[in-house]
Amino acid sequence: MNEIERLLRDLGHPGMWVEVTVLLACLAGAWAIAWFAGRRHAAESIWFGRVIIDGLLFPLLALAFTWVARSVVDDFQKVVLLRMAIPVLVSLAGIRFLARVLTVAFPASAIARLVERLFSWLAWVGAVLWIVGLLPPVLEELEAIQFSFGKTRLSVLALLQGALSAGAVMVVALWISATVERNVLRDTVDDLSLRKVASNAIRAVLLLVGFLFALSAVGVDLTALSVLGGALGVGIGFGLQKLASNYVSGFVILFERSLRIGDTVRVDNFEGIVADIKTRYTLIRALNGRESIVPNEKLITERIENLS
């Protein structure tokens, strides 16, 4: 008898109605608490989402209640359904966390949606393998497949674990930056341009720190990055002067507030409203809908008319 047949046989045990009742009670209790706590939540809330159940709090509460219920019911009868619910809720919590963080951090990014779908597929496949008992053999096979990079040998399992660890650290960094921007900067910084540069700087610093932690978790020697940093500096000095200049100019514009989002300006006889100030370029939109993308270096080194 294989694992799937054994699982189907176990689902027919006499005490299944008890597990169904307990699981429904756990889900109802998690929904009730999440609904009561998030009645006045913001639409971009990571904990509550748009309709309570698509936030992070509901699957976490359901997972905690189900875990406790499984431990209690296990003392009286055989547990099958509650054991199956654990990996499902773990996968759901991970998917909800990634989806909500990416939605808040990158609301209109197609790449973020692609990453979300890819992670969702991997999470559900892992949950199915966990439920049917095939996850340990699959992990052993992935560990057996190894590649050589010079004197280092890496397995497919180590690469997957490193990618998941790095992704988790980066998502947490995005979560912290989005929380700081939403709960701190919106209340303390009234100027839209200054708020934007502060949020960009916080996000960049947190992503850099998260990236370094992720590399350390994978096992990469961070001292080797000094060589990469030197090479990157040489590349910026010779080949990326314009690009680096535009990035620096963008931060200068935002800090000095010589131009602000909403100002009416004229650049090379093109008149329009500053719609957005990116780190590399500034977007100017005319009244007829035409848009001009102006490199930030141009706004620093040349004469610009601010009609506001």
Side-chain angles (χ1 to χ4, degrees), residues 259-267 270-275 284-285 287 304-308:
L259 292 178
R260 302 183 183 184
I261 297 176
D263 285 355
T264 301
V265 298
R266 181 182 292 119
V267 181
F270 184 89
E271 181 177 333
I273 299 175
V274 178
I284 301 176
R285 182 178 295 117
L287 297 179
I304 306 299
E305 297 182 47
N306 191 337
L307 305 181
S308 297

Side-chain angles (χ1 to χ4, degrees), residues 245-302:
S245 176
N246 285 324
Y247 276 101
V248 174
S249 299
F251 281 101
V252 171
I253 292 172
L254 290 170
F255 273 119
E256 290 185 349
R257 290 185 287 178
S258 55
L259 292 178
R260 302 183 183 184
I261 297 176
D263 285 355
T264 301
V265 298
R266 181 182 292 119
V267 181
D268 287 342
N269 296 323
F270 184 89
E271 181 177 333
I273 299 175
V274 178
D276 198 2
I277 302 177
K278 302 288 188 180
T279 52
R280 188 177 60 85
Y281 63 87
T282 295
L283 183 64
I284 301 176
R285 182 178 295 117
L287 297 179
N288 59 5
R290 295 174 58 197
E291 293 183 346
S292 176
I293 298 177
V294 182
N296 288 327
E297 183 188 16
K298 186 179 184 67
L299 301 178
I300 294 292
T301 60
E302 298 185 8

Side-chain angles (χ1 to χ4, degrees), residues 9 50 68 71 91 97 130 141 183 205 232 238 250 252 291:
R9 184 200 62 183
R50 295 179 294 272
V68 174
S71 302
S91 299
F97 179 54
W130 186 353
E141 290 295 329
N183 297 334
V205 170
L232 182 61
F238 287 97
V252 171
E291 293 183 346

